[in-house]
Amino acid sequence: MFVLLTMSIAAWEGNVSIETPQTQIILHAKEGQDLRMAYYGLRTATLGELKASGCDFDFSVLPAFGTVDMVQLPAIQVQHSDGDLNLELQVVNYELQKEGKADVHLFTMQDKLMPVTVKTFYKAYREVDVIETWTEIVNGGKRAITLKRFDSGHLPLRQGDVWLTHLHGDWAAETNVVQEPLTLGCKVIRNTDGARNAHIDAPEVMFSLDGHPSENHGRTIGAALCWSGNYELRINTLLNKFHHFYAGIDPQSSEYVLDPKESFATPHLALTYSEQGMGGVSRNFHRWARTQGKLHRGNGVGDILLNSWEGLYFDINEERMLQMMDDIKQLGGELFVMDDGWFGDKYPRDIDNSSLGDWVVDTRKLPDGIPGLLRDAKKNGVKFGIWIEPEMANTVSELYEAHPDWIIKAPGREPVQGRGGTQVVLDLTNPKVQDFAFSIFDNLLSNYPEIAYIKWDANAPVMNHGSQYLPMDEQSHLYIKYHEALIQLCQRIRAKYPDVIIQDCASGGGRANYGLLPYFDEFWVSDNTDGLQRIYMQWGTSYFFPAIAMASHISAVPNHAVFRTTSLKYRCDVAMSGRLGMEIQPKNMTDDEKAFCRQVISDYKRVRPVIQFGDLYRLHSPYAGDNLASLMYVSKDKQQAVFFWWKLETLKNQHVPRIKMAGLDPDKYYTVRELNRIDNKPLPCEGKSYSGAFLMQTGLEMPYTHDVDYNKLNDWASRVLQLTAE
Ligand code: GLA
C-alpha cells in the first residue's frame, strides 16, 4: 500500500537523503538538471560537508546516451521515433512514498526534446540496510520508440584499491569465488543462457573499497540484480578517479519496442553497504531476504527431507517410494520428495529423452497414482513432495505432438534439442503456454492439497532464438517477455497456493537469484553433492543467500558427480550447515550409518532455528589455501550458536590455523557440546563453558584427526559444536 507524500524539490534544496538504519545515499535532484549521486556510505554525511571536503563524487544516476561523454558508458539509451538516439534527462518531480517497511523515493525525469519520461526509484528499507533501485521508461509520444539499453542502476565507486568479488561456475561446480582488483578498462559479467542465469556467472557482486576483500573489516558494497533472465553487469574504469558500476538486463538481442503510452520497468538492483566487510554485506542480504519477502519462506523452518533422485534416478515405482518414505520416517525426517521419472503415458519417462509436458502419472510404475503415494506418506507420517519441470517439453511427448508451436524456436527453423537429445523450452510469452504451465501446478495442488512441496526444475537453456508466438517485429522481446511471464506465473501460483513449499532448481543452482526467490522457499545449490566441493560452493552461495535457502543433502559415496569417497560424518557435517536433507538410497546404508544419520537429524532439529535464522559469520575461507574452512551461525539474541569446522585435505604434519569465533556476546558464557561426535573420547572443551570474549579472542583448539578405532580411521576431519549461553 502506497502513501503518497509529495515534496517539492525546493523544500529539499535539491538534496535528497535516502536512508536505512545505518546507510545513506545522497542524491542531488535539481529541477531542470539530471539526477546526480553524491554519496553512498554510512549515515553520517551531508552534502555540505562532502562538498567542503573537496569530494567530487557527483555523477549522473542514470547516464543517458547523448549526454554522457563517449568514454563513459550510458546506462540508458532510447531511439526516438524519428531515429534520434539522444536523451537529455531533466528532473521534473520528486515524490516520497511509504510502502510497508520502506520509503520509496521517486524521481521523475523528462527528455528535453522528446516525450519520453524516465522514473528512477530508490526503495530504502527502514529495518535493514538495503536500498533497491530501478527505472521505468514511459513513452509519452504518439509513435513507438526503441529501448536499446535499460540498466536498473549505476553506481560510481571512488578508485583506490577497490576489489571485485563475484561468483563463477558451471553445472555441478557452481559459485566459485573470484576476487580481483579493479583495473583500468571495462569488466563485463554477463549471462546469455536465456532461461536460467546463475550457473556460470551470478548476478550478484561485492566491492571491497579498502583493498583486498576482508571478511570482517572494510567498507564493502554488495549488489544483487533481482532478475532471472539474461543480464549484464559492467564495471568501467577510466582515468577519472572513479569506477562506474552498471547493472541491468542484457540488451544484446533484446531491443525493446515501446508503443505509445506503454512503459517498461527494469528489474530491481538491491544495494547494501557495510563497514564490517563481506560478512556485514552477507548478513544484510540474508536479513533482507528473510524479513522483507525476498525469500518466500519467511519464518517457517525448512523440513528435513529425502529426495529420490540420487537414490533411484528414473527407477521409480510404488514399492520403492513406500520404502523411501518409511526410511526417512525411521531416520527422523519430515518430508519425502519424488523426483523425476513418475510421469508419461504414451511415452513413459524412463530416461531423460522423453515425456516432459505429459504430466500424467505413469500408472505402470505407480498403479495407485498420487492418491496412493499420499496414502503411503500419511501412513508413514511424512509430508509428500513432487518434481516437475513446467517450462519444458521433449519433442518426444504428447504435448509436442499436439502443440509443436508452443516451443521456443524461430518460425520456419528446425529446433536445436537439448538434454536427452529432445528437450526444448516452452514459449512462456504465449498466454496459452502460461495457462498450461499454471495448470500443471493447479491440477496437482487442487486435486491433492496434501502435496506439501514442489521441486520446480529447469534443465535447458534457450537454444533456439525466436518465438513462434511473438510477431516478427517483436522477436527481440523474447528474453525479457519470457522472464516477465515466468514471474507472472509465479505470482499466479503464489496467489492461489501461498503455503506450498517450492524449491527453485535448474540443473542445480542455475536459478539462485533474487528475481525468483520471492516466490520460492529454497534452491538446490548444485547437482554436485560431494561434501568437499559443497564446502566451496556453499561458501560462495552464502555471500548472498541465507542458509535456509540452501538445500544441502547427505548423499552416497563414491559421490555421483566427482566419485570422491568422504566419510559419512564429513558429509553430514557439511549438509548440516544449510537446509539439511538426504539424497541417497537409505536401503543401501548399514545400520550404523542409519543410526548416525538418525542422531544427526535429531540434533539438527534442535539447532535448526540457529542455522536457518541466525546470523552467519564466515570464520576461515576454504579459498585461503591452508586446507581449512570454518563458519558459524549465531542466534539474534546471541544465546545460541553453531560452529562448523571442516578440514579440506590431509597431509602429514600439516598444521591448520586455530579459529577465533565471531558474533558472540563477549560477556556471556557459552557451554560447548560437540554434535555428530564419532570420537571415542570427548573433546577437552566438551561440556565446558567459555566467555564469548575468550572464544572470539582465542578460540578453541580442534584436533586434526578423529580419535576412533584403527579400522575406522580415514583422512576426513570435521567438527560441529553447539554453543549455548548460560
Ligand atoms: C536436474 C536436477 C536434479 C534432478 C534432475 C532430474 O538435474 O538438478 O536434482 O531433479 O534434474 O532430471
Side-chain angles (χ1 to χ4, degrees):
M1 193 50 186
F2 277 111
V3 179
L4 196 66
L5 301 169
T6 303
M7 311 250 171
S8 79
I9 293 170
W12 287 79
E13 295 172 335
N15 302 325
V16 178
S17 178
I18 295 162
E19 296 170 358
T20 67
Q22 311 275 342
T23 70
Q24 176 186 35
I25 285 178
I26 298 180
L27 296 185
H28 199 51
K30 265 231 161 96
E31 210 160 350
Q33 294 182 6
D34 72 344
L35 181 64
R36 303 185 77 78
M37 181 179 288
Y39 178 77
Y40 184 28
L42 280 193
R43 221 175 119 172
T44 50
T46 65
L47 196 62
E49 279 172 325
L50 288 167
K51 287 223 160 107
S53 74
C55 171
D56 50 4
F57 189 136
D58 176 22
F59 290 99
S60 183
V61 157
L62 214 56
F65 185 89
T67 35
V68 290
D69 57 49
M70 292 327 263
V71 286
Q72 199 186 317
L73 302 174
I76 178 169
Q77 186 184 19
V78 168
Q79 182 155 36
H80 302 282
S81 53
D82 61 357
D84 175 17
L85 287 162
N86 296 277
L87 266 183
E88 294 174 275
L89 296 177
Q90 299 178 321
V91 174
V92 293
N93 192 33
Y94 163 65
E95 285 169 16
L96 174 60
Q97 307 166 347
K98 303 268 170 205
E99 189 196 330
K101 294 175 184 170
D103 298 326
V104 180
H105 302 258
L106 160 56
F107 301 88
T108 305
M109 291 177 280
Q110 189 72 53
D111 182 46
K112 246 185 192 174
L113 187 67
M114 303 296 277
V116 173
T117 304
V118 175
K119 297 177 179 174
T120 288
F121 297 80
Y122 282 86
K123 178 172 182 177
Y125 288 88
R126 285 194 290 276
E127 289 169 8
V128 280
D129 288 311
V130 173
I131 297 173
E132 292 169 28
T133 183
W134 70 99
T135 289
E136 204 179 301
I137 305 166
V138 188
N139 179 5
K142 293 199 165 62
R143 288 160 65 194
I145 60 172
T146 305
L147 311 186
K148 290 180 163 287
R149 177 168 285 283
F150 23 79
D151 279 338
S152 298
H154 157 242
L155 190 66
L157 306 162
R158 174 73 162 76
Q159 288 192 37
D161 205 11
V162 178
W163 283 63
L164 167 71
T165 297
H166 59 111
L167 305 174
H168 184 91
D170 206 328
W171 172 75
E174 288 86 343
T175 57
N176 294 285
V177 174
V178 184
Q179 298 185 312
E180 55 194 279
L182 289 180
T183 52
L184 287 169
C186 188
K187 166 95 189 169
V188 179
I189 296 173
R190 82 141 48 108
N191 175 277
T192 53
D193 180 287
R196 303 87 47 88
N197 73 4
H199 262 134
I200 302 197
D201 286 299
E204 302 88 20
V205 292
M206 284 194 209
F207 298 103
S208 299
L209 308 184
D210 295 318
H212 193 279
S214 153
E215 199 46 54
N216 301 312
H217 308 287
R219 297 169 303 144
T220 311
I221 289 173
L225 186 70
C226 309
W227 180 238
S228 52
N230 294 348
Y231 62 82
E232 190 182 63
L233 312 180
R234 298 172 297 160
I235 304 123
N236 197 33
T237 304
L238 306 169
L239 285 171
N240 75 353
K241 226 200 265 181
F242 287 83
H243 306 281
H244 291 269
F245 169 59
Y246 305 78
I249 294 176
D250 183 11
Q252 180 178 256
S253 314
S254 284
E255 282 195 349
Y256 201 92
V257 179
L258 210 54
D259 284 330
K261 309 287 169 262
E262 268 188 0
S263 66
F264 177 86
T266 71
H268 294 199
L269 172 67
L271 298 168
T272 185
Y273 175 94
S274 170
E275 302 219 334
Q276 275 84 52
M278 293 191 298
V281 161
S282 297
R283 287 186 288 280
N284 287 349
F285 273 133
H286 297 175
R287 223 169 283 144
W288 167 74
R290 284 194 312 255
T291 63
Q292 308 298 320
K294 301 298 161 181
L295 173 70
H296 182 262
R297 192 186 296 270
N299 280 326
V301 292
D303 284 334
I304 300 158
L305 62 87
L306 170 65
N307 184 53
S308 67
W309 183 240
E310 284 193 28
L312 284 173
Y313 293 103
F314 294 99
D315 230 355
I316 276 172
N317 68 28
E318 204 157 289
E319 189 193 329
R320 295 184 188 125
M321 297 295 93
L322 179 61
Q323 164 246 313
M324 282 188 144
M325 289 180 201
D326 179 43
D327 285 330
I328 189 62
K329 180 64 185 172
Q330 298 303 325
L331 292 168
E334 297 150 324
L335 167 71
F336 170 72
V337 181
M338 176 173 70
D339 207 287
D340 199 350
W342 60 267
F343 52 93
D345 179 20
K346 180 172 170 190
Y347 303 104
R349 177 84 168 165
D350 293 333
I351 54 168
D352 62 4
N353 66 1
S354 71
S355 328
L356 291 174
D358 300 348
W359 300 105
V360 288
V361 171
D362 181 348
T363 45
R364 283 152 293 211
K365 294 180 184 169
L366 301 165
D368 293 349
I370 292 174
L373 296 165
L374 288 167
R375 173 201 64 214
D376 293 345
K378 194 168 176 194
K379 192 164 81 195
N380 280 292
V382 288
K383 298 178 201 165
F384 177 75
I386 191 165
W387 179 96
I388 51 174
E389 203 178 348
E391 303 148 77
M392 303 286 163
N394 290 109
T395 49
V396 181
S397 68
E398 293 184 66
L399 181 79
Y400 184 74
E401 285 171 353
H403 303 287
D405 55 324
W406 279 12
I407 68 162
I408 288 186
K409 79 171 186 76
R413 294 187 188 272
E414 282 303 307
V416 174
Q417 299 172 55
R419 187 182 186 201
T422 59
Q423 185 157 343
V424 285
V425 185
L426 291 175
D427 187 353
L428 272 189
T429 67
N430 183 341
K432 286 194 180 129
V433 175
Q434 292 164 19
D435 287 345
F436 169 73
F438 179 73
S439 75
I440 302 167
F441 271 84
D442 206 28
N443 290 342
L444 280 172
L445 294 171
S446 61
N447 288 329
Y448 311 110
E450 302 93 324
I451 293 179
Y453 181 105
I454 301 276
K455 176 171 173 177
W456 177 339
D457 216 333
N459 285 320
V462 170
M463 295 157 288
N464 301 287
H465 306 281
S467 166
Q468 301 185 78
Y469 173 75
L470 292 172
M472 285 319 277
D473 59 354
E474 287 181 24
Q475 290 293 302
S476 63
H477 293 196
L478 172 67
Y479 300 103
I480 294 173
K481 288 223 150 141
Y482 182 93
H483 289 275
E484 286 176 347
L486 177 61
I487 298 294
Q488 280 157 17
L489 173 63
C490 291
Q491 287 168 341
R492 195 168 160 195
I493 289 166
R494 279 309 185 193
K496 192 158 178 195
Y497 302 106
D499 298 327
V500 64
I501 300 296
I502 311 180
Q503 184 186 78
D504 169 6
C505 177
S507 313
R511 276 190 170 166
N513 63 60
Y514 281 117
L516 288 177
L517 284 179
Y519 313 101
F520 288 81
D521 301 275
E522 60 176 36
F523 58 87
W524 185 223
V525 176
S526 177
D527 277 351
N528 182 345
T529 53
D530 168 52
L532 180 63
Q533 200 165 348
R534 273 286 179 130
I535 292 175
Y536 290 88
M537 291 190 282
Q538 294 181 186
W539 192 269
T541 303
S542 82
Y543 279 18
F544 303 98
F545 302 102
I548 189 170
M550 279 195 241
S552 177
H553 295 180
I554 303 162
S555 62
V557 287
N559 176 266
H560 296 187
V562 299
F563 306 99
R564 194 190 333 271
T565 298
T566 51
S567 70
L568 179 62
K569 170 174 169 57
Y570 198 80
R571 281 173 275 147
C572 291
D573 284 5
V574 173
M576 250 183 129
S577 66
R579 196 280 287 130
L580 176 70
M582 301 189 88
E583 188 84 21
I584 199 165
Q585 171 54 283
K587 204 171 65 167
N588 298 339
M589 295 167 76
T590 64
D591 287 347
D592 284 353
E593 287 172 336
K594 283 187 183 163
F596 186 75
C597 286
R598 201 172 298 122
Q599 185 61 48
V600 166
I601 287 174
S602 129
D603 281 340
Y604 184 79
K605 283 183 185 161
R606 287 191 294 109
V607 295
R608 131 171 95 179
V610 185
I611 294 168
Q612 296 189 356
F613 307 120
D615 277 330
L616 167 69
Y617 291 86
R618 286 179 298 258
L619 305 172
H620 194 86
S621 169
Y623 291 90
D626 48 10
N627 295 322
L628 185 70
S630 178
L631 55 79
M632 68 191 288
Y633 298 96
V634 182
S635 65
K636 211 172 166 197
D637 61 7
K638 299 198 184 287
Q639 284 292 110
Q640 304 272 343
V642 185
F643 168 86
F644 291 90
W645 181 99
W646 305 285
K647 203 146 86 71
L648 306 179
E649 188 184 52
T650 295
L651 298 170
K652 205 72 186 166
N653 280 346
Q654 172 211 48
H655 297 287
V656 296
R658 178 165 164 148
I659 297 301
K660 295 176 184 172
M661 298 192 185
L664 300 170
D665 181 338
D667 299 326
K668 284 193 161 84
Y669 275 78
Y670 294 90
T671 307
V672 176
R673 182 179 163 232
E674 184 180 9
L675 305 181
N676 308 350
R677 174 152 80 89
I678 55 166
D679 297 42
N680 291 331
K681 277 198 296 249
L683 291 174
C685 58
E686 181 71 25
K688 308 235 166 62
S689 292
Y690 303 86
S691 70
F694 176 84
L695 294 169
M696 293 192 288
Q697 280 157 17
T698 308
L700 300 173
E701 196 67 64
M702 291 294 113
Y704 302 167
T705 53
H706 289 284
D707 174 15
V708 291
D709 295 346
Y710 188 78
N711 64 343
K712 290 192 180 149
L713 282 173
N714 61 53
D715 54 350
W716 299 99
S718 54
R719 304 280 169 183
V720 183
L721 305 180
Q722 181 185 6
L723 280 73
T724 313
E726 288 167 359

